[in-house]
Amino acid sequence: MKKLLLLAAVCFSAATAFSQSFTHGVGVTVMVDKMQDLDARPGFGFTYSPRFNFAESESMSVSVGIPISVALAGSYSGTYNSRSGWEEDPYMSGDGSVAVFLNAPVMLNLNFGAGSSRDNESRLGAFVGAGFGLHWSASTDQVFYDEAGNPDYRNTGGTVFGPAGNAGMRIGVGNSGKNIEIKLSYYRGLDDNKLNLFGLAGIFNF
């Protein structure tokens, strides 16, 4: 894992050294993480997205960036008794889970139109890309049930590495290269929990 981090740092440093321009943005993100045998957990957070263009033309660019997202997620499940309902059943039980996580993949993107560079004057643009990075979480244990219906607990915290993908559109604002970005993202954790992380972000790029 240390070698992967070192490789990512070298690649990012090299792109920075030969970059033609730098942009960055901040925004909000909605994320849903889903692990094997566990309930999905929706979350809300913030994202910071720095990006270096290392190849540019009048209409497109190739960039490398590290969109960093921090979010708070949670889920709750309870047991319902049809005889007495939720409120009156003294044997009702529930399980909750809360997590704070950070997602930071290194992304290589192909950018078109608005937002592809500061000099591009288009009002609409798009981008698509892929990458690899890390996902870290500090969370409570989550409960799941085996085939016999017996409860078991799993620790879902820690650091995991995996591939990522993103795509979206940009809307130009003003005449200085600023734009509003709407992004869909996906991250896959390469661990026993088989994390699937889906994201929707709205970002203002300076």
Side-chain angles (χ1 to χ4, degrees), residues 104-202:
V106 178
M107 302 298 298
L108 183 68
N109 280 339
L110 188 60
N111 310 282
F112 306 92
S116 61
S117 71
R118 292 188 180 277
D119 297 328
N120 192 294
E121 298 180 355
S122 301
R123 289 302 178 186
L124 290 177
F127 63 96
V128 63
F132 191 91
L134 65 85
H135 180 84
W136 173 88
S137 66
S139 64
T140 58
D141 290 344
Q142 289 199 65
V143 65
F144 69 99
Y145 297 88
D146 59 23
E147 295 180 356
N150 300 314
D152 198 356
Y153 293 86
R154 181 189 301 169
N155 190 322
T156 58
T159 302
V160 60
F161 295 85
N166 66 199
M169 64 177 295
R170 297 188 179 106
I171 303 171
V173 178
N175 298 316
S176 57
K178 296 181 176 64
N179 60 86
I180 296 172
E181 177 180 312
I182 301 172
K183 179 178 72 173
L184 293 172
S185 62
Y186 173 74
Y187 178 88
R188 173 71 172 182
L190 300 179
D191 67 340
D192 293 338
N193 286 323
K194 298 182 179 180
L195 168 69
N196 290 283
L197 182 68
F198 304 90
L200 172 64

Side-chain angles (χ1 to χ4, degrees), residues 33-108:
D33 74 339
K34 178 67 176 72
M35 300 183 189
Q36 184 175 352
D37 300 322
L38 300 177
D39 294 333
R41 296 183 299 183
F44 176 83
F46 301 92
T47 185
Y48 172 64
S49 181
R51 185 179 95 232
F52 291 94
N53 287 352
F54 59 88
E56 293 181 354
S57 68
E58 293 182 358
S59 60
M60 63 178 291
S61 68
V62 181
S63 65
V64 62
I66 305 181
I68 302 171
S69 299
V70 179
L72 176 67
S75 66
Y76 179 84
S77 61
T79 302
Y80 179 79
N81 187 307
S82 60
R83 292 175 301 173
S84 55
W86 287 100
E87 297 181 355
E88 299 178 4
D89 184 5
Y91 301 104
M92 184 188 73
S93 62
D95 299 291
S97 172
V98 177
V100 177
F101 58 74
L102 179 147
N103 187 256
V106 178
M107 302 298 298
L108 183 68

